[in-house]
Amino acid sequence: MIFDSHAHYNDEAFSDDLEDILAEFPDAGIGSVVNVADTLESIDRVLELSRRYPFFYAALGIHPGECENLTEEALETVRARLHEPKVVAVGEIGLDYHWDTPEREIQQRWFRAQIRLAQDERKPIIIHSRDAAQDTLQIMREMHAERTGGVLHCYSYSLEMAREFIRLGFYIGVGGVVTFRNARKLKEVVEHIPIEKIVLETDCPYMAPTPHRGERNTSLNLPCVVQAIAELKRMDPEGVIRITEDNARQLYYLK
Ligand SMILES: [Zn+2]
């Protein structure tokens, strides 16, 4: 069944009809979803969802754009929550030089601190990295990120960089963008890296695939992403679903 490795069902975009969407999961073949926190405030909701629904897991971390006022004390709150049974990763953490706020030094400090946290707690990491490929890779190397492994979520860099991340034991998160006609770079990455290194993701409510581009995204749209990957890899959609599910279970230490 389809494993959605990165979603935000805690988002208020789902506050009115979450139950209706989830009711369609079995028929649509959606088997598991990791909801990813991005702020301190989102952590409780992400945990609550993981307690309420058997197919929901949780990842806890502070997004680079949200770490301006982060403190060591707040990070200890995150650490305590990581011990809940369905928490499978630290994330999303990383560097965002596209929005470029807060300043880079602050982003880098908390990226390092959260990699250390993940290593202490033996959890893989979910990395958000935008327009910051070199610094991301450099900090990962310096921090020995290969100790926990993890995923480069919503991957947007080159094939050469993808090979570097894979060499560190990381997976490449692929979502709606791969269906866009102008996504030449990502299509090239998907075509040339092993299918064993790809995980499916929605990043919902964002990143809806063609033909739903611009709409609110849900895991129910993942078959469009599967189809695009299947075409690029010249595989059956069923094979893409089976292997990427297996990959996500490896990634999150679920096997
Ligand atoms: Zn996300």
Side-chain angles (χ1 to χ4, degrees), residues 6 8 92 153 203:
H6 191 117
H8 300 284
E92 53 190 290
H153 128 73
D203 204 19

Side-chain angles (χ1 to χ4, degrees), residues 149-161:
V151 58
L152 270 293
H153 128 73
C154 199
Y155 188 76
S156 60
Y157 299 135
S158 67
L159 175 59
E160 292 70 35
M161 287 301 292

